[in-house]
Amino acid sequence: MSLRRSILLGLIGLAGTAPAAHAQSTAEWQAQQVAAEAKADRIMVEANQQKGLLSQYMTMRQAYAGDDSPAFRMIFGQYIGWYLSFLGDYPLAVQSFSIAEPARPGDNASPLDGGYAARPALDEIPALASNYQIVMLNEAHNVAMTRSLTVALLSRLYAQGFRYFAAETLSQKDAQLQTRGYPIDDSGFYTQEPVYAEMVRTALKLGYKVIAYEATSTITRPDQREAEQARHIYEQVFKEDPHARLVINAGYEHIVKAGVYLGGESMAEHLHRLTDAPILAIDQTAMYPRPSSQNNHPYYTAVMKQLHPDAPIVFVDAKDKPWSLRSAYDANVFFPPEKLERGRPTWLTLWGLRQPHWVSGDGCRGHYACLVEARYSNEGPDAIPADRMLLQQTPMTVSISGVEAYSSTQGVPSGVLYLRPGSYQISFIVGGEKVLHKDTITVPPQP
């Protein structure tokens, strides 16, 4: 079973109910999903034969446009979303695949109703972590906003004594990651997305020992991946350092501390059994803004309407006990509504670590679609960029969920990259990694 297949097992469980508009049985819908998944895998084999992310994505986009069946759009929409995030088109990545977050039986009462106060997540999560050996933060894989806070938290958690950082789908084959100091294409799967790469890069620069814990054996049952991930973490961290303090980034429900997951137990439950270490589980996938506001949890809507936060928040009571939507987690992060500048979300500042830097599309030499990449000058040309954006002169011929990538229909397209202070090499790329132009820029320290 491929890594992509094992990732989809959990996601289909979250989003795979049959469309109400279609009079079909659950069995029929599941059969359609299986067929759609097989087709998606065939398309990805073809796409991966193309050189460069941009060419791969164009192959995928053409295939997406050719099949509007609900099952295929649901399955392949996830693939499209991952690659759009790799290209830096974050709004369209979110539109391509979205999981609604309705109210459910058993949800705890709203934090607005019971003596809870909103606190900045960047301050409160490290305070909560002071009594824990393991901190787990989850993410929605095509919604890079849900990993943005983790990047900013790493320095705060390092100050608390955390020295290990583990990230989902990092490859154990990249034995040079720790010494090299930055991720490359072969470092993993989600590391191809610049914010994820920045998360790993930040951990390395701070001095964390970075752990690749992905399952490597053939998966024969749904929760086998969970058990193997936990075992890899135990063997690389706690077997030799039983008092280690560890930060883990994982997807969705891999971090739930209780309940049945994929017919068995989550990675967090397996890890707790192996270590008996206290775990702080922070959910970042329930309370972020969905493309359609009707798919937001009612509590999210109420909190945003009443508090209007401009940064991620969590809720705690008078005894500093955090609020969570469901008992499987210890706390929920509420992300503010997304704001765009030239089509790019302002959360790409990573909550104060980076700043916008305007870039003209002149380097595209009139060729579009054009991928603009910014790499740290002290890293090699194989490094995953600090940021990417896709420039186009005309709207996309294929839109996803009615939303198009940012483009300008007059003159030369331009946009903003989000970068830390420092020196960068900017590359303008078309087609199969053809570099049309390079610039070197310096981003000054923030005033």
Side-chain angles (χ1 to χ4, degrees), residues 219-409:
I219 304 300
T220 59
R221 67 177 191 276
D223 80 330
Q224 182 180 337
R225 182 182 176 212
E226 308 297 305
E228 188 171 341
Q229 287 177 329
R231 186 173 70 254
H232 286 169
I233 292 172
Y234 172 76
E235 290 173 348
Q236 294 182 75
V237 179
F238 297 101
K239 185 176 181 179
E240 300 298 329
D241 188 359
H243 301 293
R245 303 189 75 191
L246 167 70
V247 182
I248 300 176
N249 180 79
Y252 294 104
E253 295 184 354
H254 293 300
I255 74 166
V256 295
K257 295 168 64 174
V260 176
Y261 179 55
L262 294 179
E265 294 181 320
S266 71
M267 182 259 288
E269 291 175 284
H270 284 287
L271 185 59
H272 181 69
R273 181 176 297 106
L274 290 171
T275 65
D276 200 33
I279 296 174
L280 176 68
I282 308 293
D283 176 58
Q284 301 186 101
T285 66
M287 301 298 179
Y288 69 83
R290 266 61 182 179
S292 173
S293 60
Q294 67 182 9
N295 289 331
N296 291 332
H297 195 282
Y299 295 173
Y300 179 85
T301 302
V303 166
M304 295 302 118
K305 183 177 181 180
Q306 182 169 321
L307 300 182
H308 307 287
D310 57 8
I313 58 174
V314 295
F315 286 87
V316 296
D317 65 14
K319 296 182 179 180
D320 291 329
K321 180 181 179 181
W323 177 89
S324 64
L325 177 63
R326 299 172 187 122
S327 59
Y329 304 103
D330 294 298
N332 285 83
V333 174
F334 286 71
F335 288 92
E338 190 170 69
K339 298 178 182 178
L340 301 180
E341 180 178 341
R342 290 182 175 268
R344 307 205 72 214
T346 58
W347 57 256
L348 282 168
T349 63
L350 305 181
W351 315 108
L353 296 179
R354 308 197 297 190
Q355 56 189 297
H357 182 87
W358 179 82
V359 175
S360 168
D362 286 335
C364 297
R365 305 291 195 244
H367 297 276
Y368 302 97
C370 178
L371 188 61
V372 185
E373 298 184 332
R375 285 181 174 82
Y376 291 93
S377 293
N378 62 353
E379 295 182 353
D382 57 346
I384 302 298
D387 196 12
R388 285 190 183 105
M389 65 177 173
L390 188 60
L391 294 181
Q392 299 187 115
Q393 195 168 36
T394 57
M396 293 172 63
T397 57
V398 178
S399 65
I400 297 175
S401 301
V403 175
E404 295 169 340
Y406 176 75
S407 61
S408 171
T409 56

Side-chain angles (χ1 to χ4, degrees), residues 137 146-154 165 199 247 249 284:
L137 301 118
T146 62
R147 56 181 65 127
S148 63
L149 178 64
T150 305
V151 183
L153 282 169
L154 285 172
F165 175 70
M199 179 167 56
V247 182
N249 180 79
Q284 301 186 101

